Amino acid sequence: MDLNSASTVVLQVLTQATSQDTAVLKPAEEQLKQWETQPGFYSVLLNIFTNHSLDVNVRWLAVLYFKNGIDRYWRRVAPHALSEEEKTTLRAGLITNFNEPVNQIATQISVLIAKVARVDCPRQWPELIPTLVESVKVQDGLQQHRALLTFYHVTKTLASKRLAADRKLFYDLTSSIYSFACSLWNHHTDTFLQQICTGDEAAAANSLERTLLSLKVLRKLTVHGFVEPHWNAEVMGFLHAVFERLKQFLECSRRIRAESICRDRLEKTIILFTKVLLDFLDQHPFSFTALIQRSLEFSVSYVFTEAGEGVVFEQFIVQCMNLIKMIVKNYAYKPSKNIEDSSPETLEAHKIKTAFFTYPTLMEICRRLVTHYFLLTKEELTMWEEDPESFTVEETGGDSWKYSLRPCTEVLFIDIFHEYNQTLTPVLLEMVQSLQGSTNMENTNAILIKDAVYNAVGLAAYELFDSVDFDQWFKNQLLAELQVSHDRYKPIRRRVIWLIGQWISVKFKSDLRPVLYEAIRNLLQDRDLVVRIETATTLKLTVDDFEFRTDQFLPYLESMFTLLFQLLQEVTQCDTKMHVLHVLSCVIERVNMQIRPYVGCLVQYLPLLWKQSEEHNMLRCAILTTLIHLVQGLGADSKNLYPFLLPVIQLSTDVSQPPHVYLLEDGLELWLVTLENSPCLTPELLRIFQNMSALLELSSENLKNCFKIINAYIFLSSSEFLQMYAADLCRSFCELLKDITTEGQVQVLKVVENVLKVNPVLGPQMFQPLLPSVFRGIIDGERYPVVMSTYLGIMGRVLLQNARFFSLLLSQMACELGQELDQILGNMIEMWVDRMDNITQPERRKLSALALLSLLPSLNSVIQDKFCGIINISVEGLHDVMTEDSETGTYKDCMLMSHFEEPKATEDEEPPTEQDKRKKMLALKDPVHTVSLQQFIYEKLKAQQELLGEQGFHALMETVDTEIVAQLQEFLQGF
């Protein structure tokens, strides 16, 4: 590319690519895509985005294309990689001058320099760091800032490399620039503090930005640049300085008004200081030992004493609490049960912690957490009134404690209480004791304190197991509090029902459940929506508990279900609807069939909710889960839901529809459950199967469920289903088997085995293309036992139940392998006998014996040659299936089934699904369960004897081990 002429052309196309008109935009994007691999293209882009006179949008686009090009073509091994000459020119061009006037473009340039540095620094680009260090020192404000920005991004990228050689390079880099980075940070920090004192806000804002960037550099160097940082005086000096600087900046924040340009950046810097400490503690807990005392003193004084008043802000409190939490909970600071096994560093850290957390300190922290931080705030109470649903789904769980104040205070309380529970249990119990009896309605503060104390008792439930008689407390106090219906008392009603939910799995007598159900039923009719939603949550926890008993719950089922359904209709937000649906699902799942009389209203409402939730895929997932439990509860009656159910399954499992990304997993589960409970195959149910071939092509983690669905169709109505889909299935299976795990292979083969079991006459023809590979697998002695076992299961079915097809297959294999028919048959029998131990399922072992015996009577010399092996397997089979009748002393085949009995389901067992019944009916036709192995052996040997005559047969039996013959005779007594 000639640079000048190329620049004009590329500039023109880039300008078109910024157009809003797709007719102009699309061709331009195509053209740029083609140029991506052209030599010289990135040199042109560099010229364009460093030319400040051009349009900002065009330069922005040029930077982005350059950045994407680095990802794709910078490494030497990449296809269409850039030449070394061009890369040398580009590297030099990128750091010629740091004077980009537009902030966003400057950031992108810094990021792309860092991307190049990740690959090339320091070996191919030794001059990068020295150039940045020099540029950061210049007097020009813009240049200094841009160089510092790049310095930060380069440091951040190099610090993130994890290979040992890269870590070593970063350690070397850090040791060479750490002193400079410290002095740079100190210089900008001092400048900022002076400018704030003199009231020069504009200059202070610029200095603060540089302070922030240089601190970001130092954070990466300090945390990732040393193996054992505590041996480095400069590092420890910097970390101790962080506490001093934090105090200065917090004091400084008193002077800076909320609307000041510095305010936001000042808070960011204060938070960054705390991040330095948190990261350092996380990466180097033992190096942090020297800072434990100071960190605890600093955090506790600002968060739990008057020292913090007027200066602390929410995010800073969160960070300080996280620092305390990480010190309290750090495993590196916990001595082993056997003190001698602990390292000196651990004991030292533990000693510092123990000396700090004295009884008065712990008591004060506990009291402040509960009576100050746990109190519902004005904002929260306003939210309760104005937007109750948002109030109930406030962010908790996951990592929210790292960022949000309420979860953070609760997690800190749990961790401190766990660590020092012997000290803190009496403190908390004393608080509870002081709150006995009902509270004055007019005293809002007293109500909020009680709410906070009850919150603490719920959070510490596991720790208080031995100290609180919850059943007595529930009967004597809490139950009465739930009955106080005054509007001002609603925080306590909500908190008490939440508290019971926390204790239900910890300690709650089973015979108190009915009293609790009564209370829950009343509260589900409470005037306040927040109380009703909290009650639904506790109901879910109660129903989901290990000690749940259906008989205790049944008297309340109808009213509870109706009230929950009303709540579901009443709430409007997606998250709340999902939550209530989960509660409903849980109830349906636990009471199973008993739900049938009450689901009419829900069944009518769900289609409407499905329609309304078109934009909310997560809500649709909750509806799918509810439907799964509904279908299981309704059993065969679920057929009445098909007009709604089947289109839902169709949409959820259609990979050409965008929602499948969210709905597929639950959709497949619902499809399977629907088939398992279906009384008969309907045309619509058959039609949905068109979605399957695309699902099999996906071959994702959902494959297992896909096979279960295919099996369910086979059991439901094999002939209709196979006539329509066998050819497609066979094609999909052939593709799948080319590239699939052993487990996947077995799943595919099990489907084929089920087809042969259900339809022994047509099945082998329909899946004929798969059978040669099965045959070959047996002859070659497949090395995976599970696969071999499945191969033998399939071949056993064909041989036993479709002998005509077996002989055709044998001829085909003889032709393919260019061997004699008898030779192949002999090889197969030999391998079968040899690998019989691979088969572990008794059904398949008996099938093998029946299948090989079905070759008798025979005059074929090969079969006679293998007669000994066939008898060995048959006697093994007899050992597997024969049980001695203690009364008569005779043997009988324990696998025989005579007639279909509807098994009685006990209280804990789930009743059989329609599919279970179908499998039972199928077993009644299966030779494995209808043919007596003992009888079959006797008849086959008799026939062989008649065919060969007494002498010939005797000679044949001579080939069998005498011990085996003796066992055989014992089994055949009475014939």
Side-chain angles (χ1 to χ4, degrees), residues 182-388:
C182 283
S183 59
L184 188 68
W185 167 68
N186 273 318
H187 165 69
H188 288 306
T189 309
D190 289 336
T191 310
F192 162 71
L193 291 168
Q194 284 160 8
Q195 287 163 337
I196 274 294
C197 287
T198 57
D200 186 350
E201 278 203 3
N206 282 334
S207 296
L208 185 54
E209 174 68 16
R210 287 159 178 69
T211 303
L212 191 60
L213 282 171
S214 50
L215 182 57
K216 282 180 173 181
V217 171
L218 262 181
R219 175 188 172 195
K220 293 297 173 191
L221 296 177
T222 305
V223 174
H224 301 287
F226 298 92
V227 184
E228 292 183 312
H230 55 284
W231 296 119
N232 186 305
E234 262 186 308
V235 173
M236 298 316 285
F238 162 65
L239 288 167
H240 280 291
V242 164
F243 292 103
E244 297 306 323
R245 293 301 197 186
L246 258 171
K247 282 182 184 158
Q248 291 175 335
F249 274 62
L250 284 164
E251 281 309 308
C252 187
S253 70
R254 287 186 199 274
R255 288 200 215 109
I256 295 180
R257 303 179 315 282
E259 62 278 6
S260 161
I261 46 171
C262 289
R263 183 77 211 185
D264 184 46
R265 214 167 277 160
L266 180 71
E267 290 190 359
K268 269 191 186 152
T269 311
I270 291 172
I271 294 304
L272 188 61
F273 280 124
T274 61
K275 283 181 179 173
V276 171
L277 295 171
L278 282 163
D279 287 359
F280 191 75
L281 169 57
D282 183 49
Q283 292 290 323
H284 306 284
F286 289 129
S287 297
F288 194 87
T289 305
L291 303 164
I292 292 177
Q293 177 77 21
R294 203 161 177 189
S295 300
L296 289 172
E297 284 171 359
F298 176 85
S299 302
V300 170
S301 75
Y302 274 105
V303 175
F304 294 111
T305 70
E306 283 65 47
E309 282 177 18
V311 293
V312 298
F313 51 97
E314 185 170 313
Q315 202 51 45
F316 174 70
I317 296 172
V318 169
Q319 294 291 92
C320 286
M321 285 188 176
N322 286 341
L323 191 57
I324 300 170
K325 170 194 150 55
M326 279 177 70
I327 292 171
V328 167
K329 211 179 172 192
N330 207 307
Y331 287 111
Y333 303 156
K334 288 191 178 168
S336 311
K337 283 206 168 66
N338 192 356
I339 294 291
E340 290 83 66
D341 298 341
S342 307
S343 67
E345 295 87 351
T346 299
L347 293 173
E348 172 65 17
H350 182 67
K351 192 170 138 197
I352 298 169
K353 268 171 62 179
T354 311
F356 179 81
F357 286 114
T358 57
Y359 176 73
T361 305
L362 282 169
M363 189 169 84
E364 188 53 31
I365 289 175
C366 179
R367 284 189 181 284
R368 290 281 292 210
L369 275 172
V370 176
T371 59
H372 178 70
Y373 287 108
F374 278 11
L375 294 185
L376 287 168
T377 61
K378 272 204 184 73
E379 293 76 22
E380 286 171 322
L381 291 169
T382 307
M383 192 178 190
W384 183 326
E385 295 302 331
E386 292 174 2
D387 188 0

Side-chain angles (χ1 to χ4, degrees), residues 878-935:
L878 285 169
H879 279 293
D880 291 328
V881 303
M882 300 304 277
T883 51
E884 194 171 355
D885 189 330
S886 52
E887 288 172 22
T888 60
T890 56
Y891 288 98
K892 64 176 194 301
D893 187 332
C894 68
M895 284 203 181
L896 293 181
M897 290 181 179
S898 50
H899 58 91
F900 181 64
E901 292 171 8
E902 179 84 57
K904 293 277 174 282
T906 62
E907 161 76 17
D908 297 333
E909 280 178 26
E910 291 188 1
T913 62
E914 295 299 304
Q915 179 159 304
D916 294 333
K917 295 174 192 171
R918 285 192 278 273
K919 284 182 174 176
K920 188 81 191 274
M921 295 302 286
L922 177 61
L924 292 176
K925 296 185 205 146
D926 187 342
V928 172
H929 297 293
T930 55
V931 175
S932 158
L933 181 57
Q934 193 183 19
Q935 176 101 24

